[in-house]
Each structure stands twice: as C-alpha cells, then as structure tokens.
Amino acid sequence: MSNILIDLERLKYPNTGLHTFCSKLGSTLLKRKSDAQDLTFYVPAKDEYIFGHNPKYFIQKTWHKLLKPNFKQFDICHTTNQVSRYIPSSNKPKLILTIHDLNFLIEKKDQADKIKMEISKIQNNITRAQVVTTISEYVKRDIENNFDLKGKTIKVIYNGGALDLSLPANFENARDVKRPFLFTIGTVLPKKNFHVLVPMMRYNDFDLVIAGNFSCKKYVSLILELAQKWGVADRVKLLGPVSEEEKIWLYKNCSAFFFPSLAEGFGLPVIEAMSFSKPVFLSKHTSLPEIGGEVAYYLDSFDPQEMAHTLDTGLNDFENSNLHDEIFKQANKFTWEKAADEYLKVYNELIH
C-alpha cells in the first residue's frame, strides 16, 4: 500500500481555475485509484469532507506557513501548484510538482525584483521534486526555457472540462441577458484582455456578457469606461461570479464564445464552451491554439474591425459547415478521467 498526500490547499480560493483543478482532480482520483493507492487530501479546514467522510484528510493550519507539518508518514506528496508554501523539506516523501503556468512573466514584466523572486521559488521547488508535470505543451516549453530542470523531464497531463452537464441550465436572475449575446468568462484581470472586445461591439448587434470574479476593480472600471466611450454601455453586461447552473445557461444560450486572453496555462473555459458545440474565437497567445485545435477561430489581431470581421466570417462558416460534431469531439479530448489516470500512473511509477 502506497501512502499518497495530495495538496489541495488552493481549494480556499473559490471561483478560480486552481479551485476547479483541485476539486475535479481530487474527486476523480478517488474514483480511479487502485486498492494499492491510499490517498490523503491536504485541505483547508472549511473543505474537510469535501469528498465525503470516507477519504482521509490532513487539515491545513495557518501556522503551517511558518512551521511546515510533518509529512514523513507519506510515500509521495503531490503539490498541485508551483509556488506552494507547503513543500516537504526532507527527501521523504518523494515530491511531484505540478506547474500550471508562468503567467507572472507577463503580469509582472515591469517588476524585475518580483519576477526574480518568483523564479527563485519555483526553481527551489523544481530542484526538490522527483517529478515535474504541467498542463500544456506551451507551459512545458516555457518551463524548459526559464528553469534548470536538473536532468528531469516534464510530463504534460492535460486538465479535463469542469462542468457537470447533468445540472440544469438555470438563470432565473438573467440580469437583462435577453438579446443574442457573445460570452466570455474568467477572473476579470488585465491578462484576460476582455477590454478589447468592447470596441468591437460597435460593429455587430450582439450583447457582450462577461462573467467572473471582479478581482481587479480598476480593470472592471476600464471595461465600463470603454463601453461608455464607444456607445455600447447598454449592451455590455458584467455579471460577476455565476453559479454552475447559470454558467451552463450562458454557454448553452450564447451565440459564440470569445477568449482573447494573453496568458493561459490551459484555457478551461474554452473546453467548457466547446462541450456545447459553440463556435469559439481565441487569441493566438500561449496555450490557446493547443486547446482549440483546428476547430477554433483565431484572432489575428485585436483591432476592433478585424475582430468583427473574424466574427462574421467565423459565424458564417460555422452555420454552413459540419463543425458542431468536430467541436464537441475536440472538447472530449480533455477529460478528468484521463488526467487522473495519468497522475495515478505517475504515482505508481514513482513508488516502484
């Protein structure tokens, strides 16, 4: 029997990609593991029993930041984010490190000291790890170009989709979402590049619906100011966080999904939109072409008229082609069952 600790400490941040990763990976690992793999989940106190009362839990305490807990009873520790403060300091247990992205290289490009500090943290964690995994080929290349892997190879394990499609599509409080609309979702931050969509709205008759945490009020204000400036304020809807049922309603009812992000380790909303066979319009940056594949439409620039032209030609192509099934198939290439099986295989290989 191998004792494996899965670090899901980032469950403490709801409505984020890391929360989704932790919850989906944890629940799927439990379903797919063998009898020879004994899993314990390192979770915040509020998330004890997130997977029911049968699994084992190791509760994260505030003081663990200063005095690391003793993880020596475990054979393996899987740290599921690259800057975790809870890396075991000794050589036991063996460490698997998952790196999601190096977005800080873009977000903090004018802050050399902070970039240096982030690189140092991640390098230390890579050095400590026996195995390094990441969530896309793009991030793998980024890691190889910025870190000394000490002879280690990086294993790419793609994420799965996050939506529970058995839930009903329900949006009782539609907040004026009535006209045909374009949809995007994600934490509303500058790296998501949502603001470039606003001036494009002058060249079509759709509404634009943006959902997600308002983590940067200054950026939210910029989007609203641009909507006023270009005379489309009545057609730009910022919803904030939405429930799973509301999210399903928005994906199901949108005319198209836009994702102009500049920094993505994976691009989970793209998979979600494609699972509804929706046409997706993506930036060509970072991992997005890898996820959208040949069935997505790509923005050659962020010029409003050029984006509007891409939208028109893309929607026309979508309506006159057989892409619906191909888009759905592309989404189904990425599942949590596949991801969990790959991680469980890594655990088993590391033990033996």
Side-chain angles (χ1 to χ4, degrees):
M1 178 75 70
S2 55
N3 294 316
I4 304 164
L5 180 71
I6 317 292
D7 178 358
L8 303 183
E9 171 263 337
R10 291 292 160 136
L11 284 168
K12 65 185 177 187
Y13 298 112
N15 301 308
T16 64
L18 280 174
H19 183 281
T20 298
F21 178 88
C22 290
S23 61
K24 292 295 183 180
L25 179 62
S27 60
T28 314
L29 285 172
L30 281 171
K31 296 174 185 175
R32 312 286 289 190
K33 75 178 187 68
S34 71
D35 291 340
Q37 294 168 316
D38 189 21
L39 305 186
T40 299
F41 297 103
Y42 183 61
V43 299
K46 69 178 183 61
D47 291 300
E48 187 174 11
Y49 308 124
I50 184 172
F51 307 126
H53 288 264
N54 288 329
K56 297 177 182 178
Y57 298 93
F58 193 125
I59 303 304
Q60 182 253 331
K61 307 290 186 181
T62 304
W63 56 264
H64 287 175
K65 292 179 181 179
L66 301 174
L67 184 62
K68 291 183 181 180
N70 185 355
F71 291 148
K72 289 184 178 180
Q73 68 267 41
F74 299 102
D75 300 305
I76 291 174
C77 174
H78 179 188
T79 297
T80 57
N81 77 90
Q82 60 264 28
V83 292
S84 174
R85 298 186 182 187
Y86 310 103
I87 299 282
S89 53
S90 66
N91 289 328
K92 189 177 188 302
K94 294 179 178 178
L95 179 67
I96 299 167
L97 176 68
T98 295
I99 300 177
H100 293 267
D101 59 63
L102 302 181
N103 287 347
F104 67 91
L105 295 174
I106 297 172
E107 297 170 306
K108 301 175 182 177
K109 61 184 178 181
D110 298 323
Q111 305 173 58
D113 289 345
K114 289 188 177 180
I115 286 180
K116 186 177 179 180
M117 187 181 303
E118 291 280 334
I119 286 178
S120 178
K121 286 180 186 176
I122 297 173
Q123 181 63 67
N124 288 339
N125 290 347
I126 288 173
T127 300
R128 166 65 181 84
Q130 277 73 38
V131 176
V132 178
T133 71
T134 192
I135 61 176
S136 67
E137 292 288 344
Y138 169 80
V139 180
K140 177 183 177 182
R141 292 192 297 271
D142 224 3
I143 296 166
E144 290 171 339
N145 290 335
N146 288 279
F147 294 95
D148 178 3
L149 291 168
K150 308 295 183 182
K152 303 178 181 80
T153 57
I154 301 172
K155 184 172 181 60
V156 175
I157 301 178
Y158 288 111
N159 293 343
L163 285 178
D164 181 354
L165 299 182
S166 68
L167 293 173
N170 184 18
F171 206 170
E172 294 179 2
N173 181 15
R175 291 176 260 192
D176 299 324
V177 181
K178 297 173 182 176
R179 294 154 45 99
F181 65 95
L182 310 176
F183 179 48
T184 192
I185 188 170
T187 304
V188 184
L189 293 168
K191 69 179 182 181
K192 296 296 184 182
N193 209 29
F194 292 150
H195 71 282
V196 303
L197 302 177
V198 176
M200 179 191 71
M201 302 309 294
R202 293 176 292 162
Y203 303 104
N204 63 67
D205 295 324
F206 293 105
D207 280 359
L208 172 64
V209 176
I210 302 172
N213 284 358
F214 291 169
S215 292
C216 179
K217 290 190 169 70
K218 185 177 180 181
Y219 187 59
V220 172
S221 296
L222 171 65
I223 294 172
L224 295 174
E225 288 167 9
L226 286 172
Q228 288 287 347
K229 175 182 177 180
W230 297 114
V232 294
D234 61 326
R235 293 167 46 216
V236 176
K237 319 289 185 181
L238 278 82
L239 302 184
V242 293
S243 69
E244 288 295 289
E245 291 85 354
E246 289 174 324
K247 191 190 299 185
I248 289 171
W249 187 94
L250 290 162
Y251 281 125
K252 190 173 183 178
N253 289 281
C254 70
S255 298
F257 181 79
F258 266 77
F259 208 57
S261 180
L262 300 174
E264 293 296 323
F266 181 70
L268 185 59
V270 179
I271 302 300
E272 295 177 339
M274 291 195 301
S275 69
F276 288 91
S277 296
K278 293 294 180 176
V280 295
F281 295 81
L282 313 176
S283 80
K284 291 182 173 180
H285 292 271
T286 61
S287 65
L288 295 179
E290 192 177 337
I291 306 306
E294 296 181 0
V295 298
Y297 302 99
Y298 293 97
L299 305 171
D300 289 323
S301 82
F302 298 124
D303 175 80
Q305 285 183 283
E306 288 192 27
M307 286 195 296
H309 177 70
T310 300
L311 173 62
D312 288 341
T313 57
L315 288 179
N316 183 63
D317 176 71
F318 177 75
E319 291 302 324
N320 293 286
S321 70
N322 295 316
L323 274 179
H324 299 71
D325 290 343
E326 294 305 311
I327 291 171
F328 184 74
K329 287 178 184 177
Q330 179 70 11
N332 281 334
K333 290 180 181 179
F334 307 95
T335 71
W336 284 109
E337 287 76 17
K338 290 180 183 177
D341 287 349
E342 287 292 320
Y343 283 113
L344 289 167
K345 183 179 177 182
V346 171
Y347 303 161
N348 190 55
E349 290 173 349
L350 193 54
I351 287 292
H352 297 96

